[in-house]
Amino acid sequence: QVQLVESGGGSVQTGGSLRLSCVLSLNIYRTVCMAWFRQVPGKEREGVARVDRNDYVKYADFVKGRFTISKDSDKKMLYLEMNSLKPEDSAMYYCAASTYDCTWYQGDFAYWGQGTQVSVSA
């Protein structure tokens, strides 16, 4: 059974930093795309950052310059370094993997973690 497990969430003040981690149980070399999404209760889940098999990265406009996505294929790990956090970054953050394509279309991501909560206070 494929599993993705996130960690690293927590509570910080505005301007603070967090580093999210995601460990995969599947062979990361099988994946076409790894990504972070986030969701606030009552709102749709949205893409935050993604990295494809060629290490091409893409960020949502609202995190550009503040967040950095990276992966360690040998360790089967995906990371999200989050700096200059704002209250509007508060959300449940999900790690996801696709073996099909690398876009923001969530239907392509067959594998999802359970999420890790990030809370940013003013």
Side-chain angles (χ1 to χ4, degrees):
Q1 182 179 358
V2 174
Q3 284 189 314
L4 281 69
V5 180
E6 304 95 335
S7 61
S11 298
V12 296
Q13 293 186 328
T14 296
S17 298
L18 285 172
R19 188 193 195 206
L20 305 184
S21 300
C22 174
V23 58
L24 290 76
S25 67
L26 80 161
N27 184 348
I28 198 171
Y29 293 102
R30 286 183 51 204
T31 64
V32 172
C33 190
M34 297 290 302
W36 290 96
F37 291 84
R38 70 185 188 185
Q39 188 171 25
V40 175
K43 293 189 176 182
E44 291 188 354
R45 188 163 53 190
E46 58 184 359
V48 175
R50 66 181 194 248
V51 54
D52 71 10
R53 67 193 332 171
N54 297 313
D55 294 329
Y56 175 80
V57 299
K58 183 77 172 177
Y59 296 98
D61 287 343
F62 52 79
V63 301
K64 280 183 180 178
R66 300 189 299 124
F67 291 11
T68 302
I69 188 170
S70 62
K71 63 180 179 178
D72 186 328
S73 297
D74 291 339
K75 295 182 179 179
K76 299 183 180 181
M77 296 291 296
L78 181 72
Y79 305 100
L80 186 68
E81 186 75 36
M82 305 187 296
N83 298 311
S84 302
L85 283 163
K86 306 174 182 180
E88 51 264 43
D89 293 319
S90 297
M92 185 72 78
Y93 283 72
Y94 297 91
C95 169
S98 169
T99 58
Y100 179 69
D101 202 353
C102 200
T103 68
W104 293 127
Y105 177 56
Q106 297 180 37
D108 286 340
F109 291 84
Y111 307 106
W112 293 83
Q114 293 299 307
T116 185
Q117 181 68 43
V118 170
S119 299
V120 185
S121 58

